[in-house]
């Protein structure tokens, strides 16, 4: 069974802006992908877990809405999501298969992991980050993972609602 796991690294009790470092693991029927480094006992630096979650929700959600094509997640690892003609979603890394499942299965697994991350850590986010994003209209806003997470979850649920 396909599983996505977002793990926040220990020792970040003082992080209040949601910029938690941690790891992403994707475990599929044909293999797995991880941000963990084998040469580091703690897995190495990893990635910003809330940023990774939002990017995966948006990328996979947009792919499902389009109904064709690919989405490549390139942050600390490169993972390719390809929507096949028969409606299955193939997940691979460097040309090696990780999983191939119906879109609903992939959507449910990603949503489950994302909601779990939010339930475990979003309540401790009390302020936006110091990172400034520039909007399309040129205005600037501080990156706030509270609203970004809630909005990404809502967009993903809306874009995958019709899947069977």
């Amino acid at each position: 069974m396909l599983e996505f796991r977002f793990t926040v690294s220990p020792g970040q009790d003082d992080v209040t802006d949601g910029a938690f470092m941690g790891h992403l693991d994707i475990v599929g029927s044909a293999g797995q992908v991880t941000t963990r480094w084998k040469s580091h006992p703690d897995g190495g630096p990893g990635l910003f877990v809330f940023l990774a979650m939002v990017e995966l929700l948006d990328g996979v959600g947009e792919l499902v809405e389009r109904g064709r094509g690919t989405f490549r997640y390139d942050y600390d690892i490169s993972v390719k999501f390809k929507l096949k003609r028969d409606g299955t979603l193939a997940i691979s890394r460097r040309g090696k298969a990780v999983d191939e499942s119906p879109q609903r299965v992939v959507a449910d697994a990603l949503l489950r992991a994302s909601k779990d991350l939010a339930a475990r850590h979003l309540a401790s986010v009390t302020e936006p980050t110091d990172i400034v994003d520039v909007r399309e209209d040129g205005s600037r806003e501080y990156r706030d993972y509270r609203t970004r997470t809630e909005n990404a979850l809502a967009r993903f649920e809306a874009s995958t609602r019709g899947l069977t």
Side-chain angles (χ1 to χ4, degrees), residues 84-151:
K84 298 175 77 175
R85 289 182 184 191
D86 65 1
T88 58
L89 245 173
I91 304 170
S92 62
R93 171 161 164 61
R94 295 185 181 161
K96 293 184 181 179
V98 173
D99 192 79
E100 190 170 310
S101 296
Q103 296 173 66
R104 174 85 275 154
V105 171
V106 177
D108 287 348
L110 179 54
L111 186 60
R112 188 171 36 256
S114 299
K115 284 184 171 183
D116 180 61
L117 174 65
R120 286 183 291 121
H121 297 286
L122 199 56
S124 63
V125 179
T126 59
E127 62 185 353
T129 66
D130 290 336
I131 302 167
V132 177
D133 292 316
V134 179
R135 293 179 167 173
E136 287 183 19
D137 66 1
S139 65
R140 297 170 190 244
E141 71 175 335
Y142 286 98
R143 189 174 294 172
D144 191 333
Y145 286 112
R146 296 167 294 188
T147 55
R148 280 182 159 222
T149 297
E150 291 167 2
N151 292 341

Side-chain angles (χ1 to χ4, degrees), residues 19-124:
F20 296 108
M21 295 300 294
H23 293 282
L24 166 64
D25 299 291
I26 304 171
V27 181
S29 60
Q32 72 178 36
V33 176
T34 184
T35 58
R36 300 171 197 278
W37 296 358
K38 293 177 183 173
S39 60
H40 289 266
D42 66 353
L47 45 67
F48 290 107
V49 290
F50 274 109
L51 176 61
M53 179 197 69
V54 168
E55 289 182 359
L56 280 167
L57 287 170
D58 286 343
V60 173
E62 289 171 9
L63 175 61
V64 167
E65 276 187 328
R66 277 195 317 267
R68 63 185 176 93
T70 60
F71 161 66
R72 185 177 303 275
Y73 173 79
D74 276 320
Y75 186 66
D76 188 54
I77 55 174
S78 180
V79 182
K80 180 179 173 183
F81 296 80
K82 181 176 182 170
L83 189 53
K84 298 175 77 175
R85 289 182 184 191
D86 65 1
T88 58
L89 245 173
I91 304 170
S92 62
R93 171 161 164 61
R94 295 185 181 161
K96 293 184 181 179
V98 173
D99 192 79
E100 190 170 310
S101 296
Q103 296 173 66
R104 174 85 275 154
V105 171
V106 177
D108 287 348
L110 179 54
L111 186 60
R112 188 171 36 256
S114 299
K115 284 184 171 183
D116 180 61
L117 174 65
R120 286 183 291 121
H121 297 286
L122 199 56
S124 63

